[in-house]
Structures are given as C-alpha cells and as structure tokens.
Amino acid sequence: MAMLGSCSVSAQAAPQLLLMADDLQVCSSERLQHCNSDSRERLSKSSYKQQPVFKITDEGLERIVNMAWTEQSNIRNQAVEILTKARQHFADDIFSQQEFERYLRRSDFKLSNSETSAREFWFNLFDFEQQNFFDLLEQKQGSGKRRLKPEVDINGTRNWVTKDAFAALFNAAQSIADAKRKPRIAYVTGGSRDPYRDVEYYQALFEQLGFEAHWLAIDGAMQALSQTNDPAKCANLAEYQVSRLASFRRDILYPQLYQRQQKLCQNPEQLYELLRRSDALFIADSSPLLLYHAFYQNANQPSELLKKIQEMTAKGQLLVAAQGESVNALVGGSQNATILSGEGVQVLTEEPIIYGNAFEACRLGVDCILVTNNRKLSYLQSGVLDLFPWGTLDTQVARHGKQPRLIKAGVQSSSSMIFGLDSNSYASVERIVGEEKDDIEVQVFGEGGLWLGDLRQSQDSMSGAMQFGPFDSYFLTHEDKISMRGGVVNVELAPWKQAVNTTSAGPLVNTSTPFSRANYHKLGQMQCNTGAATAGGSSDIDSQSYELILNASGASNMRKGVLVKGGKRMGVCSFARISTQILPKAL
C-alpha cells in the first residue's frame, strides 16, 4: 500500500534522466519568438539562417508534378494549379509556410472543373502531404556554396525555465565528466522526419553552454541501411530518407550534413565511439515511432547503440535528456505504454489501438506520421528506449488536458504509476544509490509541474472499461520532490509553500465541463487553493455521462505559494494523495 510521507529524501543519487517539456526553446535566429527584444533585433539579420523559406520556381513545379510526394496524381495536378495561381501573388519572392497558408485562407478561387476551393484543397491534405509539398519548394539559405547557419543566444532567451533546464543539463553532465575537461554531449535529431533541420541549432546551443558537442547521426534511414550489411548502399541514403522518414531533398538542402551522414553510414562504429565518450545524451523532440526505427534492428531487437545507452545510463556514466514527445519514448517494462496519439475526452470511451511494437504500427515514414496524427488513442505495449521502468509517461498533460488519455493508457496497460509532465517544466529523475534498483527520486522545476497517478491500489476496481479509480493523484510544482522506496511513495513539497487546510465546510468546487481542455487541471488547482474537501463535475461523452470526483482526506497534503523568478510572480499550488475517480453516471 502506498504511503505519504514528509521525510526528507537522500541527495545521494546517480544522475540518470532529465525530462523536458517541448516548449523549452532557446532564442535563436530560427526561433525569434523565444528571444527578448534586443536579441530578436540582432538575430533578424539576413546573415543568419531563419525559418525554412520557399519559392515557386519552374523546377519546383516540375518536382510537384513528377515526384511521388502523394499517391494521387490528381492531387499533384491540382497542387500545380494552385501554385501557378499563387505565383502571380508571390512572383519571385521567397515566403514562409505561414505566409503561404495565410494567402490560401484569403483566396476564394476554385480549382478547375471542381467546386473545391484552393483553401479547402489545402487543408484537406494529410499532414505528411503538406510537409512533402513544402520539401519540394524549400530553398537553400545562403549565396553560392556558402550556406547560412543559425545563431543561438542563450542569454537572450525570454523564458527562465528554458535557461534553467539547459543549465541543469550541463551541470549534471559536468558531474559525470572528469573535472579536467569539458563535458561531452551527443545529441539525436533522428526522431524527426527532417533529421538535419535542427543539427546546427543544437550544435551551436551546446557549444555555447560549454559542451564538447557531437551529432549522433542515427535515424530510421541509417538503421535500415545498416541492416543491409552493404556499405555501398549508403550511396542511396536519400532514397531511404524518402521511404523511411517521408523526407525529400535533404541531400540538396543540407549537402554537408548529408555527406557526413553517408560517411558514418559506411563506418557506423564511429557512432558507437562517439556515444562511449559522452557524458550526456540529448534526444530532441521526436516521434517515438521514428525513434524506435532508429534504435531497433528488427522488432524488439535493440541495436548495439541502444544497448550501450542503456548500459551507460544504468552505471551512472551517462545522463539522458529527452524533450517533448521523446519523453514518451523513455518508457520501459512490459506493463507500461508508449503513448503515440490521442486527443479529446473521447479516448475514455473508445477502444485504444494497441501495437506490440513499432514495426506493427508502421514501417514507412508516411505510415508513422499517419499513426501519430490520429485522434484515437494509440500506444505501444512496450517501451522504446527502456530507460524509465517506473510507469507510463506523457507530456503537455495539465495545460493541454491530456489526463484522460494518460489515465486510459495507464489502466489499459496495467501500469503501476502514470507521470504527466506539464508545459514549461522539466524534471530530474535519479535512481537512489545503494538501495533497491526500483528506488527513485523525481524533482520538478518550472512554471508548470508534474501530474502523477498511483494506480497500484485500484487496478482491480478499474478492470471494467467504464470506470477509472479510485486512485491517488499528485501535482508537483517548482522544487517539489517525490520518491519511491521499496514501493512506498514519499512526497516532499517545497518548504516555501504554505499548507492549505482542508475542510468539509469549505467552498463548493465544481464545473460542468471537467474534461474540456485544461479544466481538469483547473479544477484540481481550485480545490488546492481553496482547501475544498471535494471537487468535481460531469460531462456527456458519446451519449454517456462521466463524473470526475476529487476527494481530499486527512492523508492529503496541499501547499501553495508565490513563485518569484524571471521577473514574474505567479501563484502555484501542489497537492498529494487526492483520491481521484472517473465514473459513468446515468443520464
């Protein structure tokens, strides 16, 4: 049985994992929205690489007609018609994706022999078709053989959480490295359909932080080529990028990176050596499916590179930092789910799509994109990187209302714990040294938090598909800690937060739409801030009413305070051991 404690947690822990929200982005010439005003002005110059730019040319129109960016030839012809019309507007100017889509939204012309408008045509395309379309129009940034590179400015980054998160990454790596040298970091971008786009951004970022940085150029295309055991086939890397990643013309737009990866493809032992010498591994925001194809030779057969990552992490020789959806891929264990997709509260009533491994879900890049863009809940009944065996992970949980999909996936897969990282947050995960291998400590930082559910006590009662809970839930905010020792949960809420007294005579806290957007999170925060013993609400889902019930008891703990950092003041409220249920209710 889980217990709530207030004992302090040992600081003797080996660095292991850093979980980072997807919105922790550093100021750069490609990410000007994350810069302060001075840096934005400085980095807006044409001497630095900006966001991808596009142009309508005769060569581009020819590619749209002849290349297999979509399976339907009539779509290719209609796309050419739209581009021919758009050329009258843009002429020979370059434009961004946002500018092109803005032009389509304002256009009212219809396609030939059709009642379909250009706007309707475009927004009815699959996501992968739109991405491939832009691949064929993208232009190099630079003049002649000189290609522009992005400029990074950590100090000019607006968000203090971002700066603290990357500083924490550096400090943890420095603690592993020999004090006489710089910490070394390897970084992976191969979980993205475009494995080259952010390579120079991360290289500049990590060097500015003080790392010796190296690109670990592994992705699904490289892994597929390595299985051929024929280095000569590395000459066909561009073809494999089209089929395995759904990515076109990377060899044309990033020739130096392409040639570099070709050489590594012919001599993949160099990747193993780069990893072996590293103190930290950073995995950029990635599709868990594409990461699986990057690190697995066949279904459930991890590559030697992944085995080395797991070995070094277990020995405390390597810190692994994952950002965005790559956090989901850290999961390990046969009873934890790697969540791939799922939006809306409908996930509670629909049967999820469950894959044994990523090869069952997809083998081609286009198919992988379609799986992850599905609104239905889907997950792998297995881990990908197998570095986090303590439960199922998800991101953007609180502020984007993803608790229902995390709860559903956790219950269906029989997870003992579920962990949901919120936006604008990061968390360190450390295995406690000298005790049981499953003993860990998690500490949370940032303006968001970490939502958790302890499902161990109630798996039997949740065996029915229509009921979820009761289970204990937690929401930890800046500087809170939670640890598991011998199966016992201990929470240490930051001492600068003040206790909230729980009273049955407190205010009534309820909502008529508990599962709409961030209302689940807001309901918990209202209960936490007011000390209400009960909070809840009901909502109709597919002709069935569901009720959310949050009950505080004598074992619950709620503390609130004012976080003053980064020139801002914001109220935060943490809670522990709130009994949580989602129950069907008669209409």
mmCIF file of all heavy atoms in Angstrom, residues 434-477:
data_model
loop_
_atom_site.group_PDB
_atom_site.id
_atom_site.type_symbol
_atom_site.label_atom_id
_atom_site.label_comp_id
_atom_site.label_asym_id
_atom_site.label_seq_id
_atom_site.Cartn_x
_atom_site.Cartn_y
_atom_site.Cartn_z
ATOM 1 N N GLY A 434 22.554 2.643 -3.790
ATOM 2 C CA GLY A 434 22.726 1.767 -2.635
ATOM 3 C C GLY A 434 21.451 1.137 -2.127
ATOM 4 O O GLY A 434 21.472 0.477 -1.099
ATOM 5 N N GLU A 435 20.337 1.319 -2.813
ATOM 6 C CA GLU A 435 19.098 0.707 -2.365
ATOM 7 C C GLU A 435 18.525 -0.130 -3.505
ATOM 8 O O GLU A 435 19.231 -0.473 -4.457
ATOM 9 C CB GLU A 435 18.142 1.799 -1.888
ATOM 10 C CG GLU A 435 18.752 2.651 -0.771
ATOM 11 C CD GLU A 435 17.731 3.543 -0.081
ATOM 12 O OE1 GLU A 435 16.553 3.183 -0.035
ATOM 13 O OE2 GLU A 435 18.147 4.608 0.418
ATOM 14 N N GLU A 436 17.255 -0.492 -3.412
ATOM 15 C CA GLU A 436 16.670 -1.334 -4.448
ATOM 16 C C GLU A 436 16.714 -0.633 -5.793
ATOM 17 O O GLU A 436 16.635 0.586 -5.890
ATOM 18 C CB GLU A 436 15.215 -1.672 -4.087
ATOM 19 C CG GLU A 436 15.086 -2.507 -2.818
ATOM 20 C CD GLU A 436 13.642 -2.909 -2.560
ATOM 21 O OE1 GLU A 436 12.865 -2.949 -3.530
ATOM 22 O OE2 GLU A 436 13.313 -3.192 -1.404
ATOM 23 N N LYS A 437 16.823 -1.448 -6.871
ATOM 24 C CA LYS A 437 17.006 -0.867 -8.202
ATOM 25 C C LYS A 437 15.805 -0.050 -8.657
ATOM 26 O O LYS A 437 15.928 0.789 -9.550
ATOM 27 C CB LYS A 437 17.299 -1.965 -9.223
ATOM 28 C CG LYS A 437 16.128 -2.924 -9.474
ATOM 29 C CD LYS A 437 16.471 -3.917 -10.562
ATOM 30 C CE LYS A 437 15.286 -4.818 -10.876
ATOM 31 N NZ LYS A 437 15.598 -5.752 -11.979
ATOM 32 N N ASP A 438 14.635 -0.289 -8.056
ATOM 33 C CA ASP A 438 13.444 0.452 -8.454
ATOM 34 C C ASP A 438 13.234 1.715 -7.632
ATOM 35 O O ASP A 438 12.227 2.391 -7.788
ATOM 36 C CB ASP A 438 12.197 -0.448 -8.338
ATOM 37 C CG ASP A 438 12.180 -1.528 -9.410
ATOM 38 O OD1 ASP A 438 12.798 -1.312 -10.467
ATOM 39 O OD2 ASP A 438 11.558 -2.576 -9.193
ATOM 40 N N ASP A 439 14.159 2.054 -6.731
ATOM 41 C CA ASP A 439 14.016 3.234 -5.895
ATOM 42 C C ASP A 439 14.505 4.471 -6.642
ATOM 43 O O ASP A 439 15.647 4.517 -7.114
ATOM 44 C CB ASP A 439 14.818 3.073 -4.599
ATOM 45 C CG ASP A 439 14.209 2.025 -3.679
ATOM 46 O OD1 ASP A 439 13.087 1.580 -3.974
ATOM 47 O OD2 ASP A 439 14.858 1.666 -2.688
ATOM 48 N N ILE A 440 13.626 5.469 -6.756
ATOM 49 C CA ILE A 440 13.988 6.679 -7.486
ATOM 50 C C ILE A 440 13.506 7.927 -6.757
ATOM 51 O O ILE A 440 12.663 7.865 -5.873
ATOM 52 C CB ILE A 440 13.390 6.705 -8.918
ATOM 53 C CG1 ILE A 440 11.847 6.690 -8.863
ATOM 54 C CG2 ILE A 440 13.939 5.606 -9.761
ATOM 55 C CD1 ILE A 440 11.193 7.115 -10.167
ATOM 56 N N GLU A 441 14.073 9.059 -7.184
ATOM 57 C CA GLU A 441 13.628 10.367 -6.733
ATOM 58 C C GLU A 441 13.398 11.237 -7.960
ATOM 59 O O GLU A 441 14.218 11.247 -8.880
ATOM 60 C CB GLU A 441 14.663 11.017 -5.822
ATOM 61 C CG GLU A 441 14.318 12.451 -5.425
ATOM 62 C CD GLU A 441 15.429 13.115 -4.631
ATOM 63 O OE1 GLU A 441 15.701 12.646 -3.517
ATOM 64 O OE2 GLU A 441 16.045 14.068 -5.148
ATOM 65 N N VAL A 442 12.285 11.942 -7.972
ATOM 66 C CA VAL A 442 11.957 12.856 -9.068
ATOM 67 C C VAL A 442 11.787 14.253 -8.468
ATOM 68 O O VAL A 442 11.062 14.411 -7.476
ATOM 69 C CB VAL A 442 10.667 12.443 -9.794
ATOM 70 C CG1 VAL A 442 10.352 13.408 -10.935
ATOM 71 C CG2 VAL A 442 10.781 11.017 -10.331
ATOM 72 N N GLN A 443 12.452 15.245 -9.049
ATOM 73 C CA GLN A 443 12.269 16.623 -8.605
ATOM 74 C C GLN A 443 11.798 17.463 -9.793
ATOM 75 O O GLN A 443 12.271 17.303 -10.910
ATOM 76 C CB GLN A 443 13.554 17.211 -8.019
ATOM 77 C CG GLN A 443 13.327 18.597 -7.412
ATOM 78 C CD GLN A 443 14.446 19.063 -6.509
ATOM 79 O OE1 GLN A 443 15.560 18.549 -6.561
ATOM 80 N NE2 GLN A 443 14.174 20.039 -5.657
ATOM 81 N N VAL A 444 10.855 18.366 -9.524
ATOM 82 C CA VAL A 444 10.174 19.128 -10.564
ATOM 83 C C VAL A 444 10.585 20.596 -10.503
ATOM 84 O O VAL A 444 10.766 21.151 -9.412
ATOM 85 C CB VAL A 444 8.641 19.002 -10.384
ATOM 86 C CG1 VAL A 444 7.909 19.711 -11.518
ATOM 87 C CG2 VAL A 444 8.229 17.539 -10.309
ATOM 88 N N PHE A 445 10.684 21.204 -11.685
ATOM 89 C CA PHE A 445 11.054 22.614 -11.777
ATOM 90 C C PHE A 445 10.228 23.282 -12.871
ATOM 91 O O PHE A 445 9.789 22.640 -13.815
ATOM 92 C CB PHE A 445 12.542 22.765 -12.105
ATOM 93 C CG PHE A 445 13.466 22.071 -11.154
ATOM 94 C CD1 PHE A 445 13.879 20.767 -11.396
ATOM 95 C CD2 PHE A 445 13.920 22.711 -10.013
ATOM 96 C CE1 PHE A 445 14.726 20.114 -10.522
ATOM 97 C CE2 PHE A 445 14.770 22.068 -9.127
ATOM 98 C CZ PHE A 445 15.173 20.765 -9.384
ATOM 99 N N GLY A 446 10.042 24.608 -12.732
ATOM 100 C CA GLY A 446 9.398 25.370 -13.791
ATOM 101 C C GLY A 446 8.070 25.967 -13.375
ATOM 102 O O GLY A 446 7.655 25.890 -12.220
ATOM 103 N N GLU A 447 7.402 26.562 -14.362
ATOM 104 C CA GLU A 447 6.130 27.235 -14.105
ATOM 105 C C GLU A 447 4.943 26.292 -14.229
ATOM 106 O O GLU A 447 3.831 26.670 -13.876
ATOM 107 C CB GLU A 447 5.974 28.416 -15.077
ATOM 108 C CG GLU A 447 6.991 29.516 -14.853
ATOM 109 C CD GLU A 447 6.777 30.706 -15.769
ATOM 110 O OE1 GLU A 447 5.765 30.718 -16.512
ATOM 111 O OE2 GLU A 447 7.618 31.634 -15.754
ATOM 112 N N GLY A 448 5.151 25.105 -14.745
ATOM 113 C CA GLY A 448 4.080 24.111 -14.848
ATOM 114 C C GLY A 448 4.159 23.141 -13.688
ATOM 115 O O GLY A 448 4.035 23.518 -12.529
ATOM 116 N N GLY A 449 4.404 21.880 -13.992
ATOM 117 C CA GLY A 449 4.510 20.893 -12.936
ATOM 118 C C GLY A 449 4.504 19.483 -13.485
ATOM 119 O O GLY A 449 4.659 19.249 -14.688
ATOM 120 N N LEU A 450 4.319 18.532 -12.588
ATOM 121 C CA LEU A 450 4.262 17.111 -12.934
ATOM 122 C C LEU A 450 3.046 16.504 -12.261
ATOM 123 O O LEU A 450 2.898 16.578 -11.037
ATOM 124 C CB LEU A 450 5.542 16.400 -12.469
ATOM 125 C CG LEU A 450 5.654 14.913 -12.803
ATOM 126 C CD1 LEU A 450 5.882 14.723 -14.297
ATOM 127 C CD2 LEU A 450 6.796 14.264 -12.010
ATOM 128 N N TRP A 451 2.145 15.931 -13.064
ATOM 129 C CA TRP A 451 0.945 15.271 -12.547
ATOM 130 C C TRP A 451 1.205 13.774 -12.507
ATOM 131 O O TRP A 451 1.738 13.199 -13.468
ATOM 132 C CB TRP A 451 -0.248 15.588 -13.440
ATOM 133 C CG TRP A 451 -1.559 15.030 -12.954
ATOM 134 C CD1 TRP A 451 -2.418 15.604 -12.070
ATOM 135 C CD2 TRP A 451 -2.159 13.789 -13.334
ATOM 136 N NE1 TRP A 451 -3.511 14.804 -11.867
ATOM 137 C CE2 TRP A 451 -3.372 13.679 -12.631
ATOM 138 C CE3 TRP A 451 -1.779 12.754 -14.186
ATOM 139 C CZ2 TRP A 451 -4.221 12.576 -12.764
ATOM 140 C CZ3 TRP A 451 -2.601 11.647 -14.321
ATOM 141 C CH2 TRP A 451 -3.816 11.576 -13.618
ATOM 142 N N LEU A 452 0.833 13.128 -11.406
ATOM 143 C CA LEU A 452 1.066 11.692 -11.249
ATOM 144 C C LEU A 452 -0.197 10.995 -10.775
ATOM 145 O O LEU A 452 -1.011 11.586 -10.050
ATOM 146 C CB LEU A 452 2.178 11.411 -10.227
ATOM 147 C CG LEU A 452 3.557 12.005 -10.451
ATOM 148 C CD1 LEU A 452 3.694 13.336 -9.745
ATOM 149 C CD2 LEU A 452 4.629 11.046 -9.938
ATOM 150 N N GLY A 453 -0.318 9.739 -11.133
ATOM 151 C CA GLY A 453 -1.392 8.895 -10.628
ATOM 152 C C GLY A 453 -0.817 7.568 -10.163
ATOM 153 O O GLY A 453 -0.046 6.927 -10.888
ATOM 154 N N ASP A 454 -1.150 7.175 -8.947
ATOM 155 C CA ASP A 454 -0.704 5.894 -8.392
ATOM 156 C C ASP A 454 -1.838 4.885 -8.587
ATOM 157 O O ASP A 454 -2.822 4.886 -7.852
ATOM 158 C CB ASP A 454 -0.369 6.069 -6.912
ATOM 159 C CG ASP A 454 0.214 4.811 -6.283
ATOM 160 O OD1 ASP A 454 0.150 3.740 -6.929
ATOM 161 O OD2 ASP A 454 0.720 4.894 -5.146
ATOM 162 N N LEU A 455 -1.694 4.025 -9.583
ATOM 163 C CA LEU A 455 -2.768 3.109 -9.963
ATOM 164 C C LEU A 455 -2.686 1.766 -9.260
ATOM 165 O O LEU A 455 -3.531 0.901 -9.479
ATOM 166 C CB LEU A 455 -2.730 2.878 -11.488
ATOM 167 C CG LEU A 455 -2.742 4.121 -12.382
ATOM 168 C CD1 LEU A 455 -2.755 3.700 -13.851
ATOM 169 C CD2 LEU A 455 -3.929 5.019 -12.067
ATOM 170 N N ARG A 456 -1.701 1.562 -8.394
ATOM 171 C CA ARG A 456 -1.463 0.228 -7.848
ATOM 172 C C ARG A 456 -2.606 -0.285 -6.991
ATOM 173 O O ARG A 456 -2.915 -1.473 -7.007
ATOM 174 C CB ARG A 456 -0.174 0.237 -7.021
ATOM 175 C CG ARG A 456 1.078 0.441 -7.851
ATOM 176 C CD ARG A 456 2.293 0.610 -6.986
ATOM 177 N NE ARG A 456 2.208 1.812 -6.161
ATOM 178 C CZ ARG A 456 3.067 2.104 -5.197
ATOM 179 N NH1 ARG A 456 4.053 1.278 -4.928
ATOM 180 N NH2 ARG A 456 2.938 3.221 -4.501
ATOM 181 N N GLN A 457 -3.259 0.597 -6.244
ATOM 182 C CA GLN A 457 -4.292 0.152 -5.307
ATOM 183 C C GLN A 457 -5.608 -0.182 -5.992
ATOM 184 O O GLN A 457 -6.466 -0.823 -5.403
ATOM 185 C CB GLN A 457 -4.549 1.244 -4.263
ATOM 186 C CG GLN A 457 -3.340 1.550 -3.395
ATOM 187 C CD GLN A 457 -3.577 2.836 -2.612
ATOM 188 O OE1 GLN A 457 -3.368 3.914 -3.122
ATOM 189 N NE2 GLN A 457 -4.025 2.697 -1.381
ATOM 190 N N SER A 458 -5.784 0.264 -7.209
ATOM 191 C CA SER A 458 -7.129 0.209 -7.779
ATOM 192 C C SER A 458 -7.205 -0.464 -9.136
ATOM 193 O O SER A 458 -8.196 -0.326 -9.835
ATOM 194 C CB SER A 458 -7.679 1.632 -7.901
ATOM 195 O OG SER A 458 -6.734 2.465 -8.531
ATOM 196 N N GLN A 459 -6.163 -1.225 -9.521
ATOM 197 C CA GLN A 459 -6.231 -1.872 -10.830
ATOM 198 C C GLN A 459 -7.400 -2.851 -10.910
ATOM 199 O O GLN A 459 -8.047 -2.969 -11.944
ATOM 200 C CB GLN A 459 -4.913 -2.611 -11.136
ATOM 201 C CG GLN A 459 -3.788 -1.703 -11.618
ATOM 202 C CD GLN A 459 -4.022 -1.145 -13.005
ATOM 203 O OE1 GLN A 459 -5.003 -1.460 -13.664
ATOM 204 N NE2 GLN A 459 -3.118 -0.287 -13.461
ATOM 205 N N ASP A 460 -7.700 -3.559 -9.822
ATOM 206 C CA ASP A 460 -8.818 -4.500 -9.848
ATOM 207 C C ASP A 460 -10.150 -3.782 -10.048
ATOM 208 O O ASP A 460 -11.003 -4.221 -10.811
ATOM 209 C CB ASP A 460 -8.860 -5.320 -8.546
ATOM 210 C CG ASP A 460 -7.685 -6.282 -8.447
ATOM 211 O OD1 ASP A 460 -7.084 -6.581 -9.499
ATOM 212 O OD2 ASP A 460 -7.381 -6.718 -7.329
ATOM 213 N N SER A 461 -10.335 -2.664 -9.345
ATOM 214 C CA SER A 461 -11.602 -1.934 -9.451
ATOM 215 C C SER A 461 -11.742 -1.244 -10.795
ATOM 216 O O SER A 461 -12.839 -0.874 -11.202
ATOM 217 C CB SER A 461 -11.714 -0.892 -8.333
ATOM 218 O OG SER A 461 -10.745 0.125 -8.508
ATOM 219 N N MET A 462 -10.623 -1.060 -11.507
ATOM 220 C CA MET A 462 -10.664 -0.392 -12.808
ATOM 221 C C MET A 462 -10.651 -1.380 -13.963
ATOM 222 O O MET A 462 -10.456 -1.011 -15.103
ATOM 223 C CB MET A 462 -9.489 0.580 -12.940
ATOM 224 C CG MET A 462 -9.575 1.761 -12.000
ATOM 225 S SD MET A 462 -8.334 3.040 -12.326
ATOM 226 C CE MET A 462 -6.848 2.230 -11.770
ATOM 227 N N SER A 463 -10.841 -2.663 -13.651
ATOM 228 C CA SER A 463 -10.814 -3.661 -14.715
ATOM 229 C C SER A 463 -11.980 -3.465 -15.678
ATOM 230 O O SER A 463 -11.896 -3.822 -16.842
ATOM 231 C CB SER A 463 -10.855 -5.073 -14.121
ATOM 232 O OG SER A 463 -12.022 -5.234 -13.313
ATOM 233 N N GLY A 464 -13.067 -2.893 -15.186
ATOM 234 C CA GLY A 464 -14.168 -2.554 -16.082
ATOM 235 C C GLY A 464 -13.815 -1.344 -16.910
ATOM 236 O O GLY A 464 -13.273 -0.364 -16.407
ATOM 237 N N ALA A 465 -14.109 -1.393 -18.202
ATOM 238 C CA ALA A 465 -13.651 -0.343 -19.128
ATOM 239 C C ALA A 465 -14.304 0.995 -18.843
ATOM 240 O O ALA A 465 -13.816 2.029 -19.284
ATOM 241 C CB ALA A 465 -13.937 -0.766 -20.560
ATOM 242 N N MET A 466 -15.426 1.005 -18.092
ATOM 243 C CA MET A 466 -16.170 2.246 -17.927
ATOM 244 C C MET A 466 -15.826 2.988 -16.638
ATOM 245 O O MET A 466 -16.350 4.059 -16.390
ATOM 246 C CB MET A 466 -17.681 1.946 -17.945
ATOM 247 C CG MET A 466 -18.162 1.230 -19.204
ATOM 248 S SD MET A 466 -17.937 2.221 -20.678
ATOM 249 C CE MET A 466 -19.312 3.363 -20.501
ATOM 250 N N GLN A 467 -14.943 2.423 -15.802
ATOM 251 C CA GLN A 467 -14.630 3.064 -14.523
ATOM 252 C C GLN A 467 -13.125 3.254 -14.385
ATOM 253 O O GLN A 467 -12.345 2.367 -14.717
ATOM 254 C CB GLN A 467 -15.140 2.212 -13.358
ATOM 255 C CG GLN A 467 -14.741 2.774 -11.992
ATOM 256 C CD GLN A 467 -15.319 1.969 -10.850
ATOM 257 O OE1 GLN A 467 -16.396 1.410 -10.976
ATOM 258 N NE2 GLN A 467 -14.605 1.905 -9.742
ATOM 259 N N PHE A 468 -12.751 4.415 -13.860
ATOM 260 C CA PHE A 468 -11.339 4.708 -13.640
ATOM 261 C C PHE A 468 -11.190 5.225 -12.211
ATOM 262 O O PHE A 468 -11.671 6.290 -11.867
ATOM 263 C CB PHE A 468 -10.841 5.746 -14.644
ATOM 264 C CG PHE A 468 -11.056 5.356 -16.080
ATOM 265 C CD1 PHE A 468 -12.223 5.708 -16.736
ATOM 266 C CD2 PHE A 468 -10.117 4.592 -16.757
ATOM 267 C CE1 PHE A 468 -12.439 5.344 -18.048
ATOM 268 C CE2 PHE A 468 -10.327 4.209 -18.075
ATOM 269 C CZ PHE A 468 -11.490 4.589 -18.719
ATOM 270 N N GLY A 469 -10.524 4.465 -11.378
ATOM 271 C CA GLY A 469 -10.312 4.856 -9.993
ATOM 272 C C GLY A 469 -11.201 4.075 -9.038
ATOM 273 O O GLY A 469 -11.988 3.226 -9.452
ATOM 274 N N PRO A 470 -11.053 4.363 -7.726
ATOM 275 C CA PRO A 470 -10.257 5.475 -7.170
ATOM 276 C C PRO A 470 -8.755 5.185 -7.159
ATOM 277 O O PRO A 470 -8.337 4.063 -6.951
ATOM 278 C CB PRO A 470 -10.790 5.596 -5.738
ATOM 279 C CG PRO A 470 -11.253 4.208 -5.397
ATOM 280 C CD PRO A 470 -11.769 3.622 -6.670
ATOM 281 N N PHE A 471 -7.995 6.234 -7.418
ATOM 282 C CA PHE A 471 -6.537 6.164 -7.294
ATOM 283 C C PHE A 471 -6.047 7.500 -6.754
ATOM 284 O O PHE A 471 -6.731 8.520 -6.872
ATOM 285 C CB PHE A 471 -5.872 5.840 -8.642
ATOM 286 C CG PHE A 471 -6.104 6.864 -9.709
ATOM 287 C CD1 PHE A 471 -5.246 7.949 -9.860
ATOM 288 C CD2 PHE A 471 -7.173 6.758 -10.591
ATOM 289 C CE1 PHE A 471 -5.447 8.901 -10.851
ATOM 290 C CE2 PHE A 471 -7.386 7.695 -11.590
ATOM 291 C CZ PHE A 471 -6.524 8.770 -11.718
ATOM 292 N N ASP A 472 -4.872 7.485 -6.147
ATOM 293 C CA ASP A 472 -4.289 8.714 -5.605
ATOM 294 C C ASP A 472 -3.589 9.487 -6.717
ATOM 295 O O ASP A 472 -2.818 8.920 -7.495
ATOM 296 C CB ASP A 472 -3.281 8.396 -4.503
ATOM 297 C CG ASP A 472 -3.955 7.969 -3.211
ATOM 298 O OD1 ASP A 472 -5.159 8.221 -3.073
ATOM 299 O OD2 ASP A 472 -3.272 7.366 -2.357
ATOM 300 N N SER A 473 -3.864 10.795 -6.772
ATOM 301 C CA SER A 473 -3.194 11.640 -7.755
ATOM 302 C C SER A 473 -2.397 12.730 -7.046
ATOM 303 O O SER A 473 -2.693 13.098 -5.901
ATOM 304 C CB SER A 473 -4.191 12.252 -8.738
ATOM 305 O OG SER A 473 -5.086 13.138 -8.082
ATOM 306 N N TYR A 474 -1.396 13.234 -7.750
ATOM 307 C CA TYR A 474 -0.472 14.224 -7.214
ATOM 308 C C TYR A 474 -0.226 15.288 -8.284
ATOM 309 O O TYR A 474 -0.236 14.991 -9.482
ATOM 310 C CB TYR A 474 0.886 13.597 -6.860
ATOM 311 C CG TYR A 474 0.836 12.413 -5.926
ATOM 312 C CD1 TYR A 474 0.411 11.159 -6.372
ATOM 313 C CD2 TYR A 474 1.243 12.532 -4.602
ATOM 314 C CE1 TYR A 474 0.384 10.055 -5.526
ATOM 315 C CE2 TYR A 474 1.231 11.443 -3.740
ATOM 316 C CZ TYR A 474 0.801 10.205 -4.211
ATOM 317 O OH TYR A 474 0.776 9.127 -3.357
ATOM 318 N N PHE A 475 0.018 16.509 -7.864
ATOM 319 C CA PHE A 475 0.514 17.528 -8.789
ATOM 320 C C PHE A 475 1.629 18.280 -8.080
ATOM 321 O O PHE A 475 1.405 18.943 -7.066
ATOM 322 C CB PHE A 475 -0.580 18.502 -9.235
ATOM 323 C CG PHE A 475 -0.116 19.448 -10.294
ATOM 324 C CD1 PHE A 475 0.114 19.004 -11.581
ATOM 325 C CD2 PHE A 475 0.107 20.790 -10.009
ATOM 326 C CE1 PHE A 475 0.560 19.864 -12.577
ATOM 327 C CE2 PHE A 475 0.549 21.669 -10.993
ATOM 328 C CZ PHE A 475 0.776 21.199 -12.282
ATOM 329 N N LEU A 476 2.840 18.140 -8.609
ATOM 330 C CA LEU A 476 4.022 18.745 -8.009
ATOM 331 C C LEU A 476 4.428 19.960 -8.817
ATOM 332 O O LEU A 476 4.414 19.938 -10.051
ATOM 333 C CB LEU A 476 5.172 17.740 -7.971
ATOM 334 C CG LEU A 476 4.870 16.373 -7.344
ATOM 335 C CD1 LEU A 476 6.129 15.522 -7.312
ATOM 336 C CD2 LEU A 476 4.294 16.525 -5.945
ATOM 337 N N THR A 477 4.794 21.021 -8.122
ATOM 338 C CA THR A 477 5.234 22.247 -8.782
ATOM 339 C C THR A 477 6.689 22.538 -8.400
ATOM 340 O O THR A 477 7.362 21.688 -7.810
ATOM 341 C CB THR A 477 4.312 23.427 -8.427
ATOM 342 O OG1 THR A 477 4.322 23.631 -7.000
ATOM 343 C CG2 THR A 477 2.888 23.154 -8.877
#
